[in-house]
């Protein structure tokens, strides 16, 4: 028997599950297909969301010569062979190339296509599970329309599973069978937006029972057919960086529950080093001077996690995440240093004032270095007013205290030593 995912592959847009933002009534991709005006397209999104299916539908209505390549195993020679057909009767109306997993083509291979997609001789429909802005040559991006395919909802996956069940019953089962709604919902919720994964689980449950009289597809059976949970994660792709981003933003937003959820995702794939590095960054960037001791505590937690390893490492990591989520927040330190670095990039620096320059060598005094420097410890409150910034930026303020107990204490100290009134 063919894989169930291939057997039920939709032949028309109306049969496609999900992606209504692209192929729904009056949506951009449907309109392009209906008028048979197909520009160069890049389909971007996770596996099992319909990219290949929609590309196949487009290919069928096109009057162009159709070629399909998978960039995982295709070679530059395969592209050259396609280009040769441009001068034949087969290629007189142009060529439509469906290139799956385009991110696996190197820059040179992508550039080989550039001339032909630019002049319209080849219409490219490419698909990728990775962010095209990071993996596809910019010249191809600029000549293509990027369309994002989104993970399917459990309800959309249920729709696809029910269609598959009907097909299997009609085509392969000798006897009618029953199907519990709970079983379908279980699969739909387990496959993480990937219909293909759900169909594979359904296939394992159904195919061995095509000749079983009185068969019932129930929850117990599908649980046995779906051995692993539906969590998928590409440690070196978009999911990795998206998860780390959501992790930090959840802590910054003081949402401990969301932060723990994203921590669990990172733990599930064993990404201990990324977790530890990100927690230390968060302690300095987002909590900062509002709770200066946080970074010391987090350093202890991450050191413990690295020494323990998984599974025990999850405990000090969770401790650090909950602490940071519930700590007061301040980004005054990162704002200050980024503003100073920005000044340097613009060349807005000036010379170090002479009285601050090193004077611990013979001849420094002759150069005027170190003269008139006032030693703060010789003055009341260990403070004396003098210029420290270069003259061209002497009035610049980099650090602006945030409203929290610690930094307001800094302000009170500055006012005290400078003799200012609160």
């Amino acid at each position: 028997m063919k894989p169930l995912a291939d057997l039920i592959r939709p032949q028309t847009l109306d049969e496609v599950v999900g992606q209504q933002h692209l192929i729904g009534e009056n949506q951009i991709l449907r309109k392009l297909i209906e008028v048979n005006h197909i520009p160069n397209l890049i389909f971007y999104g996770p596996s099992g969301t319909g990219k290949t299916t929609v590309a196949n539908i487009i290919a069928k209505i096109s009057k162009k010569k159709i070629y399909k390549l998978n960039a995982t195993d295709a070679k530059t020679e395969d592209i050259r062979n396609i280009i040769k057909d441009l001068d034949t009767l087969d290629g007189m109306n142009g060529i439509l190339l469906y290139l799956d997993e385009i991110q696996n083509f190197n820059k040179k291979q992508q550039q080989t296509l550039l001339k032909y997609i630019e002049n319209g001789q080849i219409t490219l429909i490419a698909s990728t599970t990775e962010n095209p802005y990071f993996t596809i040559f910019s010249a191809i991006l600029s000549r293509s329309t990027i369309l994002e395919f989104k993970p399917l909802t459990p309800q959309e996956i249920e729709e696809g599973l029910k269609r598959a069940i009907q097909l299997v019953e009609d085509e392969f089962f000798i006897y009618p069978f029953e199907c519990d709604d709970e079983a379908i919902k279980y699969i739909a919720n387990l496959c993480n937006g990937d219909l293909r994964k759900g169909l594979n689980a359904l296939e394992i449950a159904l195919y061995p029972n095509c000749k079983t009289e009185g068969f019932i597809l129930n929850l117990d059976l599908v649980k046995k057919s779906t051995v692993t949970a539906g969590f998928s994660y590409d440690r070196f792709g978009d999911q990795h960086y998206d998860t780390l981003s959501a992790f930090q933003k959840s802590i910054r937003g003081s949402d401990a529950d969301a932060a723990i959820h994203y921590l669990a995702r990172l733990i599930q794939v064993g990404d201990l080093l990324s977790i530890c590095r990100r927690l230390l960054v968060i302690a300095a960037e987002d909590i900062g001077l509002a709770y200066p001791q946080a970074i010391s505590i987090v350093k202890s937690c991450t050191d413990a996690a690295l020494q323990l390893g998984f599974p025990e490492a999850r405990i000090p990591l969770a401790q650090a995440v909950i602490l940071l989520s519930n700590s007061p927040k301040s980004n005054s330190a990162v704002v200050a240093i980024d503003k100073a670095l920005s000044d340097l990039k613009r060349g807005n620096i000036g010379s170090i004032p002479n009285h601050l320059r090193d004077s611990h060598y013979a001849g420094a005094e002759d150069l005027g270095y170190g003269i008139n420097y006032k030693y703060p410890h010789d003055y009341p409150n260990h403070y004396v007013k003098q210029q420290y910034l270069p003259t061209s930026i002497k009035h610049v303020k980099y650090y602006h205290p945030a409203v929290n107990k610690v930094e307001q204490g800094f302000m009170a100290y500055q006012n005290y030593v400078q003799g200012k009134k609160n």
Side-chain angles (χ1 to χ4, degrees):
M1 292 183 184
K2 278 188 175 182
L4 187 54
D6 287 340
L7 283 173
I8 73 151
R9 191 178 294 281
Q11 302 302 308
T12 67
L13 289 182
D14 291 333
E15 294 176 349
V16 176
V17 172
Q19 312 310 332
Q20 291 306 295
H21 65 293
L22 298 176
I23 59 172
E25 196 67 30
N26 293 320
Q27 298 303 313
I28 179 173
L29 188 53
R30 177 177 283 269
K31 285 185 173 182
L32 289 170
I33 294 172
E34 286 175 345
V35 299
N36 196 16
H37 177 73
I38 310 301
N40 298 307
L41 299 170
I42 296 174
F43 294 166
Y44 160 51
S47 300
T49 55
K51 299 188 299 298
T52 302
T53 295
V54 173
N56 284 335
I57 292 171
I58 293 173
K60 282 184 179 179
I61 67 169
S62 170
K63 295 180 180 179
K64 300 175 185 291
K65 175 72 174 177
I66 300 164
Y67 288 90
K68 296 180 183 180
L69 292 178
N70 189 306
T72 305
D73 52 20
K75 300 179 176 62
T76 306
E77 187 63 27
D78 296 319
I79 302 173
R80 292 199 180 103
N81 289 334
I82 292 171
I83 292 170
K84 287 177 184 177
D85 268 0
L86 290 170
D87 297 325
T88 67
L89 286 174
D90 279 345
M92 63 183 297
N93 292 323
I95 283 174
L96 188 147
L97 170 62
Y98 175 56
L99 181 58
D100 197 12
E101 303 294 344
I102 188 176
Q103 74 275 5
N104 291 307
F105 263 10
N106 59 37
K107 185 176 180 180
K108 183 177 179 181
Q109 288 172 310
Q110 293 184 38
Q111 285 176 317
T112 304
L113 290 169
L114 186 57
K115 171 184 173 182
Y116 303 97
I117 69 171
E118 188 171 32
N119 64 22
Q121 289 179 285
I122 293 178
T123 299
L124 176 68
I125 301 179
S127 67
T128 177
T129 56
E130 298 183 15
N131 192 322
Y133 293 100
F134 297 151
T135 56
I136 298 178
F137 184 41
S138 59
I140 288 182
L141 284 181
S142 69
R143 292 160 177 81
S144 305
T145 299
I146 299 172
L147 300 176
E148 182 179 4
F149 281 60
K150 297 179 180 179
L152 303 181
T153 66
Q155 293 74 26
E156 290 168 339
I157 291 174
E158 280 187 51
E159 181 185 336
L161 294 176
K162 288 176 180 177
R163 179 168 172 262
I165 288 169
Q166 187 63 55
L167 181 145
V168 171
E169 184 175 18
D170 293 344
E171 297 289 331
F172 303 112
F173 268 69
I174 297 175
Y175 307 100
F177 68 89
E178 295 181 25
C179 178
D180 290 346
D181 285 342
E182 277 189 340
I184 300 303
K185 289 183 184 297
Y186 179 82
I187 296 175
N189 283 295
L190 196 68
C191 55
N192 198 34
D194 183 339
L195 179 57
R196 188 185 298 113
K197 185 180 290 185
L199 291 171
N200 290 342
L202 191 63
E203 179 180 312
I204 293 170
L206 289 179
Y207 276 14
N209 296 287
C210 343
K211 299 179 182 180
T212 305
E213 187 173 2
F215 172 67
I216 299 174
L217 182 67
N218 56 32
L219 186 58
D220 287 340
L221 180 59
V222 297
K223 282 184 176 179
K224 292 175 184 176
S225 304
T226 51
V227 180
T228 57
F231 175 72
S232 61
Y233 187 95
D234 179 1
R235 190 167 173 176
F236 303 101
D238 283 355
Q239 287 177 315
H240 172 70
Y241 297 104
D242 288 346
T243 303
L244 285 173
S245 176
F247 179 53
Q248 180 163 1
K249 287 171 181 173
S250 297
I251 293 176
R252 182 185 295 151
S254 301
D255 190 328
D257 295 314
I260 284 290
H261 170 79
Y262 293 116
L263 172 66
R265 291 193 182 201
L266 294 163
I267 288 174
Q268 184 73 15
V269 294
D271 201 354
L272 180 54
L273 185 58
S274 290
I275 299 169
C276 292
R277 291 180 62 186
R278 189 56 63 109
L279 285 171
L280 289 167
V281 168
I282 294 167
E285 179 181 349
D286 295 306
I287 282 72
L289 294 168
Y291 183 19
Q293 296 85 354
I295 194 167
S296 299
I297 299 171
V298 170
K299 180 65 165 63
S300 297
C301 288
T302 54
D303 284 349
L306 290 166
Q307 187 170 354
L308 289 168
F310 289 128
E312 290 84 357
R314 76 190 190 283
I315 303 169
L317 292 176
Q319 178 183 341
V321 166
I322 293 170
L323 170 76
L324 294 177
S325 296
N326 290 288
S327 294
K329 307 297 190 294
S330 172
N331 69 340
S332 59
V334 67
V335 169
I337 187 59
D338 285 351
K339 185 178 179 184
L341 289 169
S342 178
D343 275 356
L344 291 181
K345 288 177 182 177
R346 291 196 302 265
N348 186 21
I349 49 176
S351 300
I352 297 172
N354 283 348
H355 61 281
L356 298 183
R357 295 194 180 195
D358 180 26
S359 59
H360 294 88
Y361 60 91
E365 187 174 348
D366 294 338
L367 296 171
Y369 296 168
I371 298 172
N372 298 323
Y373 170 64
K374 299 173 183 177
Y375 187 57
H377 296 298
D378 289 339
Y379 294 84
N381 299 323
H382 303 269
Y383 172 83
V384 61
K385 185 174 179 60
Q386 62 184 326
Q387 181 181 325
Y388 290 99
L389 278 169
T391 298
S392 62
I393 56 170
K394 66 179 180 181
H395 297 301
V396 170
K397 290 287 291 181
Y398 291 114
Y399 171 62
H400 298 276
V403 181
N404 57 70
K405 184 177 180 180
V406 173
E407 292 185 84
Q408 292 304 302
F410 293 169
M411 287 184 64
Y413 167 76
Q414 289 290 339
N415 290 335
Y416 169 70
V417 297
Q418 294 179 43
K420 296 178 181 178
K421 294 183 180 180
N422 293 328

